[in-house]
Amino acid sequence: MLLALVVLYLLGTLGIGLWAATRVKTSADFAIAGRSLPLAMIITTTFATWFGAETVLGISAKFVSGGLNSVVEDPFGSSMCLVFVGLFFAARLYRMNLLTIGDFYRKRFGKTVEIFCSCAIILSYLGWVAAQVTALGLVFNIVSHGAISIETGMVIGTVSVLIYVIFGGMLAVAWTDFIQMIVLILGLSAIAFMAGGMAGGADKVLALAESNHWFRFLPEPNFKDSVFFFAAAITMMLGSIPQQDVFQRVMSAKDARTASHGAVIGGLSYLVFAFVPMFIVACAVLVMPEQTKELLASDPQKILPTLIMTQMPFVAQVVFFGALLSAIKSCASATLLAPSTSFVENIYKHLRTRLSDKQQLFAFRVTLFIFTCGVLAYAITMRGKPIYEMVSSAYQVTLVGAFVPLVAGLFWPRATRQGAIASIVFGVMTWLIFILTPLGESFPAQLAGVLLAGVGMLAGSLFFPAHPHEAHPAAPKTPHSVV
């Protein structure tokens, strides 16, 4: 019965997505929803940017294993990414009338920077989307009591998402996000209320967290712990800013003000609501102490599903897995769409010039299908790696390769193409050196990479200033904050 209801829910969201697909007429409709979404939908779709498998299963597992200190990347870093996008980037980028974030790099620094940054952005999605696919497989395996293997569940879940995204694009993503986030918030809130009652009240749960030092956030006061803590914080906080899925969701707004406000509200909402799964897992420690202890040693990601399946009534199971599927599908849908649109707009169009809008729309869909098949294969290969780690490691490459050119291109008029190229080379090479050598054990690779990327931008731009005929148009001047 539980599996049947899960399948019914999937079919319902599929129907919503296919209905939205009837409104897709152009490539702009497909990529950025025709820049037509109101504030409420921008809030829900930016909220859904991060609220996926890692929030429900990964963050909660990390929290009971290491406290708030261990989840600085997500939700703290990721939520602040959306806030920063809303405060400093959304209005400027919106007024440039771009289809992808890669278009900014081309307009500001030329084709070479556009292609590299787009490649970095596309590659960064492998780990992120694979985490959602892995979680889909886990859900089907649990609700079928093992009758459906995790690998088969991955295929079923991925196909259910692919169908409505391949037809409806960002319009379908936005509408399904809107419905699924309502289900998610109501469902997880109800589960949290029930779990708190089973644990003896919220006061006992908070006392448990306090006694286990789960609220400890800051690192030990020494250089190594502090610098690794800071590097973890900025990985998603800054590395996710030059990301196509964030860009698409924000740029789908009906105007610049809506884009800015929606990102800020969505980011803050995510930070607040990310504590709900943490609270539920903390309840599990009191409700089923022996099982929780065993799962902490083997697979902490299963604590929350085990609590639901073994301690709660059938209605709660339906509510929970509906909420969990909402989180995973909403996150997976846009992260499948984003790299596909980036590839066509910023790489394929250089190989096939003079594409008509209809041909470009077709290319979007073909690329989406190919990328989805590749991610599914990658997810099956990487099964066993923790979901949180798959997500948090995905954004180091964009942090060291794409963040500095974006910031300098928007806010520093003297930034040049040579500076952007030097920034990319310095950042990526330094990052690789630290990852592949023992240096990375003493100093975080992503922090070393972004620092050298900044040095490269300064040196390249100051030593090789742009000639007047080589200058690229900068973003229009707007207030730094419109909130």
Side-chain angles (χ1 to χ4, degrees):
M1 179 61 72
L2 180 58
L3 179 60
L5 289 173
V6 166
V7 171
L8 186 63
Y9 177 76
L10 288 177
L11 292 175
T13 56
L14 180 61
I16 295 169
L18 291 177
W19 169 80
T22 61
R23 302 173 60 186
V24 175
K25 307 300 181 184
T26 67
S27 58
D29 291 338
F30 189 86
I32 51 175
R35 291 162 67 98
S36 62
L37 301 182
L39 180 62
M41 295 187 74
I42 294 298
I43 292 172
T44 54
T45 199
T46 51
F47 177 89
T49 304
W50 301 131
F51 213 106
E54 78 294 342
T55 311
V56 180
L57 302 178
I59 291 176
S60 57
K62 290 280 286 185
F63 173 68
V64 295
S65 300
L68 290 180
N69 178 265
S70 64
V71 294
V72 61
E73 286 181 69
D74 191 9
F76 294 99
S78 54
S79 62
M80 288 302 103
C81 163
L82 292 177
V83 172
F84 290 161
V85 166
L87 290 175
F88 305 113
F89 296 88
R92 288 172 176 264
L93 290 171
Y94 190 92
R95 290 187 173 93
M96 294 183 72
N97 197 26
L98 308 170
L99 195 64
T100 67
I101 190 69
D103 290 346
F104 169 80
Y105 294 107
R106 181 182 68 251
K107 287 190 174 185
R108 186 66 174 85
F109 297 117
K111 186 167 69 173
T112 300
V113 176
E114 171 200 12
I115 291 174
F116 178 85
C117 289
S118 297
C119 287
I121 290 167
I122 291 168
L123 290 174
S124 73
Y125 281 102
L126 278 176
W128 179 266
V129 186
Q132 314 311 314
V133 172
T134 300
L136 286 169
L138 183 63
V139 168
F140 278 97
N141 180 256
I142 292 173
V143 299
S144 68
H145 298 283
I148 298 177
S149 69
I150 291 180
E151 290 81 3
T152 303
M154 288 181 181
V155 175
I156 295 171
T158 302
V159 170
S160 71
V161 175
L162 175 63
I163 290 174
Y164 72 77
V165 178
I166 204 168
F167 288 105
M170 191 61 208
L171 268 172
V173 170
W175 275 102
T176 52
D177 279 355
F178 184 71
I179 302 298
Q180 289 173 157
M181 287 307 97
I182 294 173
V183 173
L184 171 71
I185 291 171
L186 295 177
L188 281 185
S189 297
I191 294 295
F193 181 80
M194 295 176 63
M198 294 170 63
D203 56 335
K204 290 188 177 181
V205 180
L206 295 175
L208 173 70
E210 186 66 36
S211 65
N212 286 326
H213 307 291
W214 288 343
F215 292 141
R216 184 176 63 86
F217 181 68
L218 296 176
E220 295 296 327
N222 60 67
F223 176 78
K224 184 174 181 179
D225 287 345
S226 297
V227 76
F228 273 88
F229 176 84
F230 178 74
I234 67 170
T235 298
M236 292 185 72
M237 186 187 301
L238 306 182
S240 299
I241 291 176
Q243 282 291 350
Q244 177 61 16
D245 61 322
V246 175
F247 175 88
Q248 275 182 297
R249 293 174 189 247
V250 174
M251 295 304 112
S252 297
K254 63 180 182 179
D255 53 48
R257 185 180 180 84
T258 300
S260 180
H261 286 200
V264 172
I265 298 171
L268 294 175
S269 300
Y270 172 71
L271 178 61
V272 172
F273 205 74
F275 282 90
V276 174
M278 297 187 218
F279 175 80
I280 299 173
V281 171
C283 293
V285 177
L286 291 172
V287 175
M288 47 177 210
E290 294 302 320
Q291 285 177 285
T292 302
K293 185 177 180 180
E294 292 176 5
L295 289 171
L296 280 172
S298 58
D299 190 355
Q301 295 171 163
K302 291 185 177 180
I303 294 175
L304 186 48
T306 301
L307 172 71
I308 304 300
M309 294 296 290
T310 62
Q311 304 295 325
M312 292 194 172
F314 178 75
V315 172
Q317 295 174 19
V318 173
V319 169
F320 171 75
F321 284 105
L324 179 58
L325 279 174
S326 295
I328 298 169
K329 285 167 63 66
S330 62
C331 193
S333 57
T335 47
L336 284 173
L337 178 65
S340 306
T341 52
S342 287
F343 175 81
V344 173
E345 174 70 10
N346 304 115
I347 297 176
Y348 183 68
K349 284 178 71 174
H350 293 300
L351 304 175
R352 282 284 310 274
T353 56
R354 299 180 181 177
L355 280 179
S356 67
D357 191 75
K358 188 174 182 179
Q359 289 173 324
Q360 183 171 343
L361 182 58
F362 179 75
F364 280 153
R365 288 170 168 153
V366 172
T367 305
L368 176 62
F369 177 79
I370 295 172
F371 181 80
T372 302
C373 292
V375 167
L376 179 60
Y378 177 78
I380 293 174
T381 302
M382 294 298 290
R383 193 171 75 81
K385 187 174 182 180
I387 290 173
Y388 188 92
E389 302 302 327
M390 293 173 73
V391 169
S392 62
S393 62
Y395 293 105
Q396 292 191 19
V397 63
T398 48
L399 174 65
V400 302
F403 173 70
V404 171
L406 174 64
V407 174
L410 279 173
F411 297 101
W412 191 35
R414 296 181 64 183
T416 66
R417 180 172 62 89
Q418 292 83 356
I421 293 172
S423 174
I424 293 168
V425 172
F426 281 29
V428 173
M429 291 303 296
T430 303
W431 175 65
L432 288 174
I433 290 171
F434 273 72
I435 282 182
L436 300 175
T437 68
L439 288 172
E441 299 175 6
S442 303
F443 195 86
Q446 69 269 40
L447 181 55
V450 75
L451 290 175
L452 266 293
V455 171
M457 175 59 75
L458 285 171
S461 297
L462 294 177
F463 286 115
F464 300 98
H467 296 293
H469 68 279
E470 295 177 336
H472 292 279
K477 293 183 179 180
T478 61
H480 286 195
S481 170
V482 295
V483 178

